[in-house]
Amino acid sequence: MGATLLADRARWRRESAERETATRRQLYAEYTAALSRVRSALHESAQVTGGPSPGSEEHAREVRERFLAPGAYEIRHQLAIIAPLDVVEAARAAFIALRTTRDRVIEGARADSEVYAELEAGNDAAIAELRRVMRRDLGVSARSGPG
């Protein structure tokens, strides 16, 4: 009977760990997808089109709305509860990089400018680091999946 209890306990721990990993994996996927949508929205806002003129209040409101719409802010708070500290820090850094891009777009940075290209390079680096720490947390090889 004691051996059965030990085996049941070991199985319960393993299944619990698998559920926690699956939950983190799902949340990580949701967050990186939200960041991708934020990035696309910012790029659209930075393109020269017939919308509100850069620097105007209307443009600032539109950019802020596009930034918030994908829900990255809310997901980041969920990550803060269940993810390890290195993932939380990398998630925050990626969010801040995109928020900085948002602020420069509000100020008038255009998608075809050198300033915007530098912001995009910073976004690339921050998101690549986020993916790296997420993969490490999930025990996934760096060679697995798209970059």
Side-chain angles (χ1 to χ4, degrees), residues 71-86:
Y73 217 137
E74 294 82 357
I75 298 169
R76 187 169 67 96
H77 288 288
Q78 293 175 25
L79 284 174
I81 295 170
I82 67 166
L85 185 57
D86 60 341

Side-chain angles (χ1 to χ4, degrees), residues 45-79:
S45 294
Q47 292 181 344
V48 181
T49 61
S53 61
S56 71
E57 268 309 306
E58 185 181 352
H59 181 256
R61 185 176 52 257
E62 180 182 292
V63 172
R64 285 186 185 104
E65 287 173 5
R66 286 181 166 194
F67 180 81
L68 293 173
Y73 217 137
E74 294 82 357
I75 298 169
R76 187 169 67 96
H77 288 288
Q78 293 175 25
L79 284 174

